[in-house]
Amino acid sequence: MPRFPDHLTGDGPHNPFPGVRVLERRLGREIPHQLGSNEGLDMPHRALRERFGDALAEHVYSYGDAEAMGIRRRLTDQKGIALEAMLVDAGADSLLALTLRAVTSPGDTVVATRGTYPTFAYFARGHGCRVEEVAYDEAPGRLAPDLDALARTARETRARLVYLANPDNPGGHLHADDDVLALRRSLPDDCWLLLDEAYHDFREDADGDFGRRVLPGVVRLRTLSKAHGLAGLRVGYAIAEPKTLAVMMKVRIHYAVSTLSQAAAETVLDAPDEVAVHVEAVRERRERLAAHLRELGADVLPSATNFVGVRMPTAELAGEVHRALLDEGKLIARPADPALGHVLRITAVEDALVPGRLATLERALQR
C-alpha cells in the first residue's frame, strides 16, 4: 500500500474551520443563531436580489457544507458509492491538486502520458514534483495511454504516483477495467494511481459495479461538469479509501465548494432522468459527428467521452485548421503538447452538426 508523506502522518493537521453544517451534525442539533462568523451578517443584498432573485441571495450568506453531505448522500443513493469513500471539492481540477498535495512531496517523481490532460503536469510541476512522461500507444484506429510504459517508467524512476485519464482526454480511448486493475498491480507498492474519470458518465457501463468500487492505492476523480452541465460552478468528487480521504481533508481548502454550487448540484442530482436523457443525446450526437467525419475520410478516434478526436495527417495541417476556425469564431480544441499537435478535438454539441459549421475542417479532410 502506498504511504503518505511524513508530514501528514500522525494526528494533525486539523481543519480549524469545519463550518456550521458540520458542527450541527457533530452536535446532533441545529444552530439557528450564528453570532460568531461572517455567516451572521445582516447584508440585505438588494442589488443581488434585484438581478438574480431571492432564491440565489439566500445561498450566499453561508459557507458551503465542508463535508458536502447532501451531494454525497445523493451519489450514494444513485450510484451505490459508499458515503465514507467520497470527498467533494471544486471540480476535478481542484481534486488533482488536492491529491498531489496529499500523497506526494516536492521532489517526488510522478508519471503521466505525454500530451494527456495537461493540467495534471501543470499542477505537479507547481507542487515541485518531477514529471516523467511516456509516449502514447499510437496505431491505426488507436491513440491510447501505454499502460505497460507507465508501469515500467514508474518502477524505473521509483515514482510516487502515476496519472491515467480513463476515458482519455484528448483521445477518448477507454481502457478495460481489468487493464486498469492490472496497471495498479504492476506499480511499485509505494506508488499511487490517480485515475481521472472526468468522462466516466459517458461510458456505456457507467453504472456498472466497477464504477462504484473503492480501489486500494487508487484515487478516482469524477466531475459534475460534463454529464450534469455544471462546469461553471465547479463540483467534483473523489472516490478512495476513507483513510486516504482523511489525509486529503488535512490539506484541503476549508470551503472550496460554495453553498450555491452545492445547492445547484443537489438540484441536478435530484433530476437523474434529465441527466440520463442528456447523456444519451450526447452519445447519439457523438456517433453522428464521428460518422460524418469518417465519410469525409477523417481518421476519427474511438471515443467514450462527450467529444470526437480527429487525427490529422500532420501537425501543420491541424494547426492551420485550428487557426482558421478560430478566425471564424469557432473554437475547437488542439492539444498544446507537440506530441499531439496532429489531433483535433470536437465536442459533440448540436452546434457542431449544423451544416457548414465545420466547413474549413471538411475541406482540409478532402485535400
Side-chain angles (χ1 to χ4, degrees):
M1 173 68 183
R3 61 178 175 82
F4 300 104
D6 292 340
H7 69 284
L8 295 179
T9 58
D11 187 44
H14 298 287
N15 178 1
F17 297 110
V20 173
R21 302 286 85 81
V22 175
L23 184 57
E24 286 179 333
R25 283 193 291 273
R26 290 177 181 174
L27 295 174
R29 62 175 183 272
E30 292 185 359
I31 303 175
H33 308 292
Q34 299 177 36
L35 311 178
S37 72
N38 293 319
E39 295 173 297
L41 298 178
D42 295 325
M43 175 69 178
H45 278 311
R46 294 187 185 94
L48 200 63
R49 293 175 191 276
E50 182 178 341
R51 180 171 181 183
F52 296 107
D54 291 346
L56 182 144
E58 295 305 317
H59 287 297
V60 304
Y61 288 99
S62 300
Y63 295 112
D65 179 354
E67 295 178 347
M69 191 63 71
I71 295 174
R72 289 163 57 216
R73 282 175 175 157
R74 286 165 171 81
L75 290 169
T76 293
D77 291 342
Q78 290 183 21
K79 299 183 178 298
I81 305 168
L83 183 71
E84 67 276 10
M86 283 184 288
L87 182 155
V88 173
D89 209 67
D93 285 351
S94 182
L95 288 161
L96 285 174
L98 180 57
T99 303
L100 286 163
R101 291 180 65 194
V103 305
T104 69
S105 298
D108 284 344
T109 297
V110 299
V111 179
T113 304
R114 184 177 301 112
T116 193
Y117 186 52
T119 299
F120 170 74
Y122 166 63
F123 284 159
R125 292 187 175 103
H127 185 56
C129 292
R130 175 171 171 256
V131 181
E132 288 283 342
E133 295 178 310
V134 304
Y136 269 90
D137 173 12
E138 194 162 1
R142 181 177 177 84
L143 181 68
D146 189 330
L147 303 189
D148 291 339
L150 289 171
R152 182 173 60 253
T153 303
R155 294 192 297 268
E156 291 172 350
T157 62
R158 302 180 67 180
R160 290 280 287 129
L161 180 146
V162 167
Y163 171 83
L164 174 68
N166 194 54
D168 178 58
N169 179 11
H173 180 85
L174 177 65
H175 281 289
D177 300 337
D178 287 344
D179 292 337
V180 173
L181 294 174
L183 171 63
R184 171 59 269 183
R185 290 193 298 269
S186 65
L187 296 178
D189 290 340
D190 198 26
C191 181
W192 296 88
L193 175 60
L194 177 53
L195 190 58
D196 184 345
E197 299 177 313
Y199 295 92
H200 176 86
D201 292 306
F202 298 103
R203 295 178 54 157
E204 296 291 341
D205 60 349
D207 293 327
D209 174 70
F210 184 76
R212 64 178 67 99
R213 290 176 60 181
V214 180
L215 306 173
V218 179
V219 179
R220 311 177 73 169
L221 308 184
R222 307 270 175 86
T223 181
L224 302 190
S225 292
K226 277 77 175 173
H228 300 80
L230 298 180
L233 292 181
R234 312 309 303 136
V235 183
Y237 60 101
I239 305 169
E241 293 178 295
K243 60 184 177 181
T244 301
L245 300 182
V247 173
M248 293 172 70
M249 286 294 289
K250 291 183 178 185
V251 295
R252 179 174 175 262
I253 296 173
H254 309 321
Y255 306 116
V257 186
S258 71
T259 305
L260 176 61
S261 293
Q262 292 189 33
E266 291 170 4
T267 300
V268 172
L269 289 170
D270 284 339
D273 291 346
E274 183 179 10
V275 175
V277 169
H278 167 64
V279 169
E280 188 56 38
V282 169
R283 291 173 181 158
E284 188 272 337
R285 287 195 298 267
R286 183 186 69 203
E287 297 313 310
R288 273 199 290 148
L289 180 60
H292 170 66
L293 294 172
R294 286 194 183 99
E295 288 175 0
L296 298 174
D299 181 5
V300 179
L301 299 166
S303 176
T305 68
N306 65 349
F307 59 79
V308 170
V310 177
R311 183 163 42 190
M312 301 296 286
T314 66
E316 291 74 21
L317 181 57
E320 177 186 323
V321 170
H322 184 256
R323 288 189 298 272
L325 285 171
L326 190 57
D327 287 343
E328 298 169 9
K330 304 163 187 175
L331 179 61
I332 64 173
R334 180 179 179 235
D337 194 297
L340 291 185
H342 57 311
V343 175
L344 298 175
R345 197 193 76 183
I346 306 162
T347 305
V349 292
E350 198 64 47
D351 194 28
L353 290 160
V354 172
R357 184 71 74 221
L358 297 174
T360 296
L361 171 60
E362 293 167 353
R363 287 194 297 269
L365 294 172
Q366 294 176 314
R367 287 182 185 176

